[in-house]
Amino acid sequence: MSISRTSSATTEAVWEPDTSSTARLVVRNGLLILLVVLIALPLLVLIYTSFLPPGAVPLSGSELTLDNYRSILTGSGTVALFVRTIIFAVGSSAIGIVLGISFAYLTERTDLPGRTAVRILMFSWMAVPALVFGYGWILLLNPGNGIINVMVKAIFNLEQAPFTPYSMQALTVIAGLGAVPTAYIMVSGLLRNMDPSLEDAAFVSGASRFVILRKITAPLLTPGTLSISIYLIMTMVQHFDLPMIIGLTAQTPVLSTSIYMAAAPDFGLPNYGLAAAFGVFLAILAGALMFMYFRVVHASERYRTVTGKSFRPKLLHLRGLQKVFAILLVGGYFALMLMPLLTLAWASLFPYYRLPSFAALADASFAAYFRVFSEPQTFRVIVNTVLLFLTSSTLAVVLSCLVSWFAVRLGGKSGRAMDLLSFAPTAIPPIVMAIALLMMFLRTPLNGTIWVIVIGHIAMYLSFGTRAMNGALIQIHRELEDAATVSGASWGTSLRKVLFPIIWPHILNTWLWIVAHSARDLTFPLFLLTSSNVVVATAIYQRWNYPDLPGTAALCMMLVLALSALVIPIQIYLEHKNLNKA
């Protein structure tokens, strides 16, 4: 309630409703309803659909049955499918975590030349979609005319191609290389915030660097590394893009691709009930991994060695062969990451695929780019893509800021409920949420429009947004907002003019992350695909299967260049800002 003076002659107190409290109440209740609709309702529809008989569609009034679960549990290939999924997830995560730890240690604890460039490149890898990365490796490892196979056959005088992209081993390695930047970002944060005083004391006492690494650094990093490993495994269990374009051709399906093939078979009618039942099992597996993740994170609190920022880690001076080996390791990795992009760039310059050579440069042209741009559907694809990532990222960030404010500032049952609902998508694989939204909107006007995909991206990326905003709000004392309120500012004004300007770097980074992931995502656009909601990712997938290699390569490069132009400058700015603070 507030009091105002009605006249200078008389002093009369007039009680007016507290509009700020009313606005907060309306927004809080609206957010709770919206989160239930975005996250809880699709999952309920998914569970309901899993009990439908084959051929039935959601909300059709069909009799419920356990046949889908019975079919999965008694199927001859079910055990092999689950084992294959776990092998892929664990194997690719192991590659990512081992290389991620290596690169993080080199950039955070040594005087490796070009450390800043390595950090920027790792953070900027979000500009390269997994779809593009996978297609590049298919061209590189093609048994017939893949560059790597042609070179190895010529060098060792082999008759048969030694490599193929269409195997579980190749799929695991390619996915593992793509997981390295995520592991690096998470591990580098651990190293940057770990107090090096214990390592310095051991060094002064005469311990060698190897002994310090084995007996002090590694044990301190173990809990955090274990939690990161579980997170990566959970992410790879949910992975869809690479298993879709490589695994299905190799006839090595995993859970995510099995869901897609049940709901969108090449021949015959979709079996939504079976797809939903597979989705329930995948969600249970991801939920179990999420539970393990939280247990490990909770246990790792006992290993904290930093309570402030009054320290600066000493850098290990690399000498001789150490420096050479470190440079070769980092350089070799980035060469492996750039090779697929360079191969696609080369393929986009010719009407058919040709092996790289100086002689072929005479026939190179940008005809594929002009052809793609001249096609009438291209404009619609670009509009859909821009509409998708701008709308989903902006709305997801706005929702994240509001949900985090209620969770951090007000707390209570409603705050905890919003925090739990917003974080739930972390344990829900994107393919599961996609089929849930398909079932939910199948009989509505939104079905087949770009807005269904927008809703899916908002729901999935809300968990990342709220985690980022929670961390930012915790660091800001609420006395600034209280001072604005005492000065007469409304709740909305204090957020807009006091709080949000302070945390805008976090807001910008969160928005950028969602933009990049929304533009590169294949799961939602492909699962919800119609002729009217095609985006660049699905256009690339369609052209590859057409087949139209030059058009596919041209679209891939345009997507990578567009995302790079957005991501890299901001990452350079943020990295320089961090260096200036240090």
Side-chain angles (χ1 to χ4, degrees), residues 188-317:
S188 62
L190 292 178
L191 283 169
R192 192 178 301 119
N193 294 322
M194 190 178 73
D195 190 347
S197 59
L198 295 176
E199 298 165 283
D200 295 340
F203 182 75
V204 171
S205 301
S208 66
R209 287 291 181 183
F210 178 76
V211 171
I212 295 172
L213 178 64
R214 182 168 58 89
K215 291 191 174 183
I216 297 178
T217 308
L220 288 174
L221 287 176
T222 296
T225 303
L226 182 58
S227 66
I228 294 170
S229 300
I230 296 174
Y231 177 83
L232 283 179
I233 292 173
M234 181 178 64
T235 301
M236 302 315 295
V237 163
Q238 303 174 10
H239 196 40
F240 174 75
D241 295 18
L242 290 176
M244 183 66 188
I245 65 175
I246 296 177
L248 285 186
T249 306
Q251 297 183 342
T252 55
V254 293
L255 270 172
S256 60
T257 52
S258 296
I259 295 172
Y260 176 79
M261 294 308 297
D266 293 331
F267 304 99
L269 296 175
N271 191 340
Y272 293 124
L274 183 63
F278 269 122
V280 170
F281 278 112
L282 184 55
I284 291 173
L285 178 58
L289 290 169
M290 177 59 66
F291 176 75
M292 293 172 57
Y293 172 77
F294 278 123
R295 290 293 299 270
V296 172
V297 168
H298 179 71
S300 67
E301 296 292 324
R302 295 176 296 174
Y303 289 80
R304 281 186 174 178
T305 60
V306 176
T307 57
K309 296 183 178 180
S310 58
F311 70 94
R312 185 184 297 273
K314 291 183 179 180
L315 299 180
L316 171 66
H317 180 62

Side-chain angles (χ1 to χ4, degrees), residues 436-518:
L437 289 175
L438 176 64
M439 301 300 99
M440 183 174 171
F441 292 105
L442 191 61
R443 292 170 173 247
T444 69
L446 286 177
N447 183 41
T449 66
I450 192 67
W451 300 111
V452 179
I453 306 176
V454 169
I455 292 171
H457 281 184
I458 292 173
M460 287 308 302
Y461 300 137
L462 190 60
S463 59
F464 175 84
T466 52
R467 295 314 99 186
M469 292 301 102
N470 281 5
L473 289 175
I474 289 172
Q475 296 177 0
I476 307 299
H477 200 282
R478 67 175 301 158
E479 63 186 12
L480 296 174
E481 300 162 74
D482 294 340
T485 303
V486 170
S487 301
S490 65
W491 173 61
T493 302
S494 66
L495 291 181
R496 190 175 69 254
K497 293 190 175 182
V498 177
L499 183 62
F500 291 163
I502 296 175
I503 62 172
W504 77 265
H506 298 273
I507 295 176
L508 176 62
N509 229 349
T510 303
W511 182 85
L512 181 65
W513 188 94
I514 297 177
V515 163
H517 284 75
S518 180

Side-chain angles (χ1 to χ4, degrees), residues 24 59 95 260 319 330 354 385 406 458 512 570 581:
R24 285 200 299 266
L59 307 178
I95 295 172
Y260 176 79
R319 299 183 179 88
V330 175
R354 301 175 63 175
T385 305
F406 281 102
I458 292 173
L512 181 65
I570 295 178
K581 284 184 178 180

